Amino acid sequence: MEELQQRAEESRRRSEDEAAKRSAQEEVRRKEEERQRLELLQLASQAQHPSQDPSRAFQQSTAPHSQSGFNQSAAANQLAISEETVVRSQQLSGNSAADWDLSRGFDRSVPATAAKKSFAIPVILGVVALFAVILIGGGVLLFSTNLFGTKTATNQPVSQPTATATNTPVKPAPVKPEMVRIEGGTFQMGLSEVPTKEFYDLIQTPTRVVRVKSFMIDKTEVTNAEYADFVAGAKYPAPSYWNNGKPPAGQEQWPVTNVSLADAKAFADWRSKGDGQKYRLPTEEEWEYAARNGSQNDIYPWGNEWLEGRANMDSNALKPVGTYPQGASRTGVLDLIGNVWEWTSTKAAAYPGNPSLSIPSGQVIIRGGAFIEPSKGPEAITATRRSWISPNDKQAAIGFRLVRD
């Protein structure tokens, strides 16, 4: 607004400058016309009194007007102008004063008024025409100056202020999730054999055939940056480890953690409204289907053997999502193993055919393992490993990703 006011003030000053310039031009034109008029009167006076000083001749030529009345002074002026015209004509034709007989144009034996009428009227008309040309020319000049000067002032565009980085803070663009399409099909969910009889292993058995419809899944876990857009846009409480509603500096691309099941669902609803799509948490079946490459039934997203440099495991800290591109599934989904455990929408229960296991009610399945989990040994994290937790818990090793149909 302040910049707009300054530009308007500059435009006003330019208009005033143009007006002053036109006024000065008009004053010059008026003085020039006055000079030309005086010069004509002086020439007429010199023609009547050639030996007199021009200024005195001008004074004498105007004296009869005040002494003898209007008619007498007008006749004298007409005579003076007529004689001056003859002299100027003689000068233009190259004739000397001695060769030009004034008596030819002026019969001194007749009354003055009659003699003047016989020759002065055409000359007067010529002089009047000359004055008319001068006046018309001056008027055209004045009109042109006003016209084009006005256009210069009024038609000059006033630049509009534009937003700049210094005046308007640039708001970061919302983070757009990248999703991967998973084609539907059937697979063998779970394991038929487990290495131990420990509860931790037994909950992965027995296997069963599961059919899954096609769906889209986030390529990585939801990051702090994505969740920050949600916190700001929905005025939602931030995770406990954030400061002033923002994640720690340098951790924007880390998976968001310390979020409950309700927090994850609230985020899904917010993203759904913004994108016009229906987002949700994946079911346990969908999650394992994506991690095992569908009907391939792989133990890891990259194959059936543990390989170093494929996932953030055996670690003491989180890492930015996508740090291990070689650990992607065959469809390109990243971080399905390690970094953080991921919420699903499935309530915890033993697999059908395994009635001997009892799981506390009200728990929710989490998948994928976290950075602190082992990559080898009897408790190694694989695409079939299951765990559960209360939906109200918020832990530093639990995050989530979303899917949509």
Side-chain angles (χ1 to χ4, degrees):
M1 182 62 69
E2 182 178 352
E3 185 177 355
L4 179 61
Q5 184 176 358
Q6 290 176 353
R7 291 184 179 273
E9 182 65 19
E10 290 175 3
S11 177
R12 183 188 63 80
R13 285 197 298 268
R14 285 195 297 267
S15 299
E16 291 178 351
D17 292 343
E18 291 293 338
K21 185 183 298 183
R22 291 196 302 273
S23 178
Q25 291 173 347
E26 171 61 17
E27 181 64 18
V28 170
R29 184 196 65 77
R30 188 188 62 78
K31 289 182 179 180
E32 178 63 20
E33 289 182 354
E34 180 66 15
R35 186 191 65 78
Q36 292 176 359
R37 186 181 68 82
L38 292 176
E39 182 180 357
L40 287 174
L41 292 176
Q42 289 173 359
L43 289 174
S45 177
Q46 289 174 5
Q48 184 177 6
H49 306 286
S51 62
Q52 292 182 359
D53 181 74
S55 61
R56 293 181 62 188
F58 173 71
Q59 293 173 359
Q60 291 182 7
S61 67
T62 57
H65 179 75
S66 60
Q67 296 174 0
S68 304
F70 176 79
N71 291 335
Q72 184 178 354
S73 62
N77 287 336
Q78 290 175 357
L79 177 60
I81 292 173
S82 299
E83 291 177 349
E84 186 271 336
T85 303
V86 173
V87 172
R88 290 182 67 87
S89 299
Q90 166 256 321
Q91 291 174 349
L92 292 172
S93 63
N95 296 328
S96 64
D99 296 334
W100 190 270
D101 186 1
L102 294 178
S103 63
R104 295 177 185 175
F106 299 95
D107 188 357
R108 302 297 183 183
S109 62
V110 297
T113 56
K116 290 166 186 173
K117 287 181 181 179
S118 64
F119 185 80
I121 291 176
V123 176
I124 291 172
L125 292 176
V127 173
V128 171
L130 177 61
F131 270 107
V133 170
I134 293 173
L135 292 174
I136 292 173
V140 170
L141 176 62
L142 177 60
F143 177 79
S144 300
T145 303
N146 291 336
L147 178 62
F148 294 105
T150 302
K151 285 184 176 179
T152 302
T154 58
N155 290 350
Q156 183 172 357
V158 178
S159 300
Q160 297 297 323
T162 56
T164 63
T166 57
N167 293 335
T168 304
V170 178
K171 183 179 180 180
V175 179
K176 292 294 184 181
E178 184 176 356
M179 305 196 80
V180 176
R181 181 174 176 80
I182 306 296
E183 295 294 339
T186 59
F187 77 111
Q188 291 283 336
M189 188 172 181
L191 292 176
S192 57
E193 296 181 2
V194 291
T196 71
K197 298 297 181 178
E198 297 293 333
F199 184 83
Y200 194 66
D201 284 333
L202 290 176
I203 60 173
Q204 301 177 70
T205 62
T207 61
R208 72 185 193 279
V209 176
V210 175
R211 175 174 295 276
V212 176
K213 295 181 180 180
S214 298
F215 63 97
M216 303 288 291
I217 187 170
D218 281 346
K219 188 173 184 178
T220 67
E221 298 110 339
V222 172
T223 64
N224 282 321
E226 292 177 87
Y227 203 80
D229 289 338
F230 161 60
V231 168
K235 309 300 181 184
Y236 198 83
S240 59
Y241 63 97
W242 288 19
N243 296 316
N244 298 320
K246 295 181 180 179
Q251 297 183 16
E252 290 81 3
Q253 294 305 310
W254 288 17
V256 64
T257 60
N258 289 83
V259 290
S260 66
L261 182 68
D263 294 336
K265 289 182 176 180
F267 175 87
D269 291 341
W270 173 81
R271 187 200 275 183
S272 298
K273 292 178 181 178
D275 291 358
Q277 303 283 348
K278 179 60 178 177
Y279 294 97
R280 55 181 174 83
L281 290 169
T283 64
E284 184 181 21
E285 291 81 3
E286 288 172 330
W287 192 98
E288 186 171 326
Y289 183 78
R292 300 186 68 181
N293 298 307
S295 60
Q296 295 293 322
N297 291 319
D298 294 327
I299 298 300
Y300 298 98
W302 55 87
N304 284 315
E305 295 182 1
W306 168 258
L307 296 173
E308 296 293 337
R310 299 300 197 271
N312 184 22
M313 303 286 293
D314 307 306
S315 177
N316 58 5
L318 288 169
K319 292 184 180 180
V321 299
T323 298
Y324 298 94
Q326 291 182 330
S329 69
R330 297 190 183 189
T331 54
V333 184
L334 297 170
D335 303 324
L336 286 165
I337 297 295
N339 225 12
V340 292
W341 286 96
E342 300 178 14
W343 286 108
T344 73
S345 61
T346 301
K347 292 182 179 180
Y351 284 163
N354 191 349
S356 61
L357 295 180
S358 176
I359 298 176
S361 63
Q363 304 295 298
V364 177
I365 293 292
I366 55 176
R367 286 298 200 108
F371 64 95
I372 58 175
E373 307 290 348
S375 61
K376 300 176 182 178
E379 296 184 356
I381 298 297
T382 66
T384 63
R385 180 70 71 181
R386 308 172 75 203
S387 188
W388 57 83
I389 195 173
S390 168
N392 298 321
D393 281 356
K394 298 182 180 183
Q395 296 190 13
I398 300 178
F400 66 98
R401 74 177 75 212
L402 299 181
V403 299
R404 64 178 175 85
D405 297 327

